[in-house]
Amino acid sequence: KQEVTQIPAALSVPEGENLVLNCSFTDSAIYNLQWFRQDPGKGLTSLLLIQSSQREQTSGRLNASLDKSSGRSTLYIAASQPGDSATYLCALPGGSYIPTFGRGTSLIVHP
Amino acid sequence: DGGITQSPKYLFRKEGQNVTLSCEQNLNHDAMYWYRQDPGQGLRLIYYSQIVNDFQKGDIAEGYSVSREKKESFPLTVTSAQKNPTAFYLCASSMRGQGDYGYTFGSGTRLTVV
């Protein structure tokens, strides 16, 4: 059974810092890995989707990398802003393509 | 624009009542999922459906029921047998058997027992 771990569980940083959020998984036979953002009381918004054949994806200040052999993905946030404050989750398709989620990293960026 | 619509946004249930949460998608996705989210906890799978007229129990199906009569719709009923239904409920969808497109989520329904 696929298990997903996200480190750190919480992070509080001053505005402007570059951040790295980590996601590790136990089964490297994956189709893709998806990073989501969740604001309090809201649904999940997809940020980046990395196919298993890719090593990274970029969108604006966000860059996600994938290393299947080591079972790891990182989400890099450049020049963090208070608007980046949210919970970030990674998800991978598991058995029957059902997504398996990490518990998320709760990020606070203070001015 | 294509997406998933969950309604209502807020729902209040009295003790002993059944309530139904709506989830509709216009993405032509085959698979649909229901998750429950509690404060400080991860997402837990309640039910999923990969094709019309078929659905499977997830990790916490007790006290819940679903139907999948149409491809676009996957309603979740929270029955009186669910002892602690207060939570945030999320619906998601994806193309069946294809991880290439990822998953799309609705905006959620917050259910409170009064």
Side-chain angles (χ1 to χ4, degrees):
Chain A
K1 181 180 176 182
Q2 180 73 273
E3 294 183 5
V4 180
T5 304
Q6 291 190 244
I7 295 173
L11 192 59
S12 180
V13 300
E15 182 176 6
E17 280 204 4
N18 299 324
L19 308 172
V20 175
L21 308 183
N22 297 291
C23 173
S24 61
F25 47 93
T26 55
D27 185 353
S28 61
I30 63 173
Y31 295 94
N32 59 44
L33 185 146
Q34 194 168 4
W35 282 94
F36 292 90
R37 167 186 174 137
Q38 185 177 30
D39 293 287
K42 305 292 185 182
L44 275 64
T45 300
S46 181
L47 297 173
L48 290 164
L49 174 66
I50 312 175
Q51 305 299 337
S52 61
S53 58
Q54 298 173 316
R55 292 195 63 85
E56 64 179 68
Q57 278 282 359
T58 299
S59 176
R61 294 182 294 108
L62 304 179
N63 175 276
S65 66
L66 175 63
D67 185 344
K68 286 177 56 178
S69 61
S70 66
R72 298 176 69 175
S73 176
T74 60
L75 179 66
Y76 178 81
I77 304 175
S80 58
Q81 303 171 357
D84 294 330
S85 299
T87 297
Y88 292 81
L89 299 103
C90 64
L92 301 88
S96 301
Y97 307 102
I98 300 167
T100 302
F101 289 87
R103 288 203 161 194
T105 294
S106 178
L107 172 65
I108 297 175
V109 181
H110 46 87
Chain B
D1 286 339
I4 298 181
T5 301
Q6 288 188 243
S7 61
K9 188 172 183 178
Y10 299 97
L11 187 57
F12 298 90
R13 192 194 94 166
K14 295 181 180 179
E15 295 282 352
Q17 263 188 346
N18 291 353
V19 291
T20 298
L21 284 60
S22 171
C23 178
E24 304 275 336
Q25 54 99 358
N26 60 3
L27 299 164
N28 200 32
H29 283 175
D30 299 293
M32 298 185 74
Y33 315 84
W34 273 106
Y35 286 88
R36 170 179 172 144
Q37 189 175 40
D38 295 279
Q41 295 197 31
L43 291 162
R44 293 186 288 171
L45 182 66
I46 305 172
Y47 269 98
Y48 66 99
S49 167
Q50 295 185 316
I51 55 173
V52 176
N53 293 322
D54 185 60
F55 48 84
Q56 306 295 329
K57 293 181 179 180
D59 300 319
I60 56 166
E62 185 175 352
Y64 300 96
S65 66
V66 294
S67 63
R68 187 85 187 279
E69 297 176 0
K70 298 186 301 181
K71 188 175 185 178
E72 303 78 22
S73 178
F74 192 40
L76 173 73
T77 297
V78 184
T79 74
S80 56
Q82 171 51 239
K83 298 306 178 188
N84 184 22
T86 295
F88 189 54
Y89 292 85
L90 287 162
C91 179
S93 69
S94 69
M95 294 296 285
R96 174 185 176 219
Q98 294 183 29
D100 292 352
Y101 300 100
Y103 303 92
T104 302
F105 277 79
S107 57
T109 293
R110 183 164 300 280
L111 174 62
T112 304
V113 174
V114 296

